[in-house]
Amino acid sequence: MRIRDILRTKGDAVATVRPEATVRQLLSVLAEHNIGAVVVSPDGASIAGIASERDVVRALHERGAALLDRPVSDIMTAEVRNCGPADKVEDLRRAMTEHRFRHVPVVEDGRLVGIVSIGDVVKSAIDELESDREHLVDYIQRAP
Ligand code: AMP
């Protein structure tokens, strides 16, 4: 299974905020879309960073409520690990587990074309197992 197979089902929508947006604005994007991370992008196509709910919690704990009016660029992770549509889902699953992040933007020709979460990766693994199971049951039932 490839990353593009996941995107085919879930689509290419990616929630983004500009680096100068406030943490308060970031929170409303997270809440409105019911998501855990937002790609930080000046133009919706290039990636300046990623900011997840974990970054907000950690920074709030360290810096208090004044953080809410600070720019997202203060708390984002600037070194983002991306993947491409042709990458194997299995490799991404390994990288997400090893590096302990739950969101990976998908980039093609330097442009943001989707995002994959750990939930998407788990769902694709379950779908694959389910399809294997159906094939096996079918094979067994057809046996003379
Ligand atoms: P998450 O598990 O996605 O909520 O993120 C946990 C931490 O990893 C946060 O500090 C994020 O900013 C960071 N992070 C999330 N996704 C990525 C990514 N694709 N590349 C690098 N860092 C990330």
Side-chain angles (χ1 to χ4, degrees), residues 41-52:
S41 169
D43 52 14
S46 61
I47 298 178
I50 190 162
S52 91

Side-chain angles (χ1 to χ4, degrees), residues 46-118:
S46 61
I47 298 178
I50 190 162
S52 91
E53 51 199 358
R54 199 168 288 186
D55 297 313
V56 179
V57 169
R58 206 161 34 211
L60 262 180
H61 171 67
E62 283 163 8
R63 296 160 60 176
L67 176 80
L68 295 175
D69 296 313
R70 299 294 308 162
V72 169
S73 54
D74 269 20
I75 66 161
M76 71 185 191
T77 300
E79 235 172 75
V80 181
R81 191 182 174 109
N82 304 318
C83 65
D87 290 354
K88 284 188 185 157
V89 176
E90 196 186 320
D91 293 342
L92 189 66
R93 187 175 66 213
R94 247 186 238 118
M96 286 171 123
T97 308
E98 188 181 327
H99 300 288
R100 292 177 169 271
F101 44 65
R102 297 167 292 179
H103 304 88
V104 177
V106 187
V107 172
E108 190 170 32
D109 300 328
R111 293 180 65 83
L112 184 60
V113 293
I115 189 162
V116 174
S117 75
I118 193 80

